[in-house]
């Protein structure tokens, strides 16, 4: 649990507040945290997870991600890239994504490069007023080229999101 106002949290590359570049197994829980005015030079204005595999589990529950920016990449609020080998990402429990901006895809969040057998759950979240300036998915963008796995979307509200291309 925590509140993390911005102004001082700027990353030159990924994850204005937190960047995880490789997780081979294990668990990361971000519970009831509020992130505001975070900024990343590339992906994941507040949170960025890359190279998640081998049944690793990432859970972001409750809290809010507000007015965060991915200046040249994807995922204004949250970016997840290269998710595979039975890895899981769970976004749930009242999480709010509000007013985030991505230069490319996924104003609220971007789930890209989903590989072999990923397990993705987006349940009970709210995505409002997010923008994908030059890409797709103002609220949520999902992309993958792998096989198997599952993506579950439910009990969520996405409204007032904008995009430069589609979705």
């Amino acid at each position: 649990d925590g509140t993390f106002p911005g102004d001082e949290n700027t990353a030159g590359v990924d994850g204005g507040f937190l960047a995880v570049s490789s997780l081979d197994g294990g668990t990361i829980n971000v519970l009831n945290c509020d992130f505001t005015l975070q900024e990343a030079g590339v992906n994941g204005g507040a949170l960025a997870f890359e190279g998640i595999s081998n049944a690793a589990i990432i859970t972001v529950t409750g809290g809010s991600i507000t007015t965060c920016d991915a200046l040249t990449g994807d995922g204004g609020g949250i970016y997840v890239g290269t998710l595979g080998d039975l890895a899981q990402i769970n976004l749930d429990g009242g999480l709010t994504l509000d007013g985030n901006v991505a230069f490319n895809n996924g104003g609220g969040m971007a789930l890209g490069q989903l590989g072999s057998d990923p397990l993705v759950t987006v349940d009970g979240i709210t995505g409002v007023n997010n923008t994908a300036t030059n890409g797709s998915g103002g609220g949520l963008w999902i992309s993958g080229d792998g096989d198997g796995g599952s993506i579950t979307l439910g009990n969520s509200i996405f409204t007032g999101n904008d995009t430069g291309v589609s979705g």
Side-chain angles (χ1 to χ4, degrees), residues 27 39 68 72 79 92 108 115 117 120 140:
T27 302
E39 183 177 274
C68 297
T72 62
Y79 172 77
D92 58 23
D117 298 319
V120 177
L140 170 64

Side-chain angles (χ1 to χ4, degrees), residues 111-133:
L111 306 174
Q113 300 175 10
L114 301 183
S116 175
D117 298 319
L119 304 172
V120 177
T121 302
V122 177
D123 187 45
I125 72 167
T126 301
V128 296
N129 305 317
N130 299 292
T131 303
T133 306

Side-chain angles (χ1 to χ4, degrees), residues 72-130:
T72 62
D74 299 323
I78 300 172
Y79 172 77
V80 179
T82 316
L83 182 69
D85 300 326
L86 297 176
Q88 298 179 45
I89 180 82
N90 304 306
L91 305 162
D92 58 23
L95 173 65
T96 298
L97 302 167
D98 185 1
N100 302 294
V101 178
F103 182 79
N104 288 321
N105 302 302
M109 86 179 97
L111 306 174
Q113 300 175 10
L114 301 183
S116 175
D117 298 319
L119 304 172
V120 177
T121 302
V122 177
D123 187 45
I125 72 167
T126 301
V128 296
N129 305 317
N130 299 292

Side-chain angles (χ1 to χ4, degrees), residues 2 16 21 23 30-31 43 65 79 81 93-94 102 105 111 122 127-129 139 142-143 159 162 166:
S21 62
L23 184 63
V30 179
L31 307 174
N43 298 311
I65 298 176
Y79 172 77
N105 302 302
L111 306 174
V122 177
V128 296
N129 305 317
I142 300 174
S143 175
T159 185
D162 193 23
S166 61

Side-chain angles (χ1 to χ4, degrees), residues 4 45 151 156:
F4 306 96
I151 298 171
S156 298

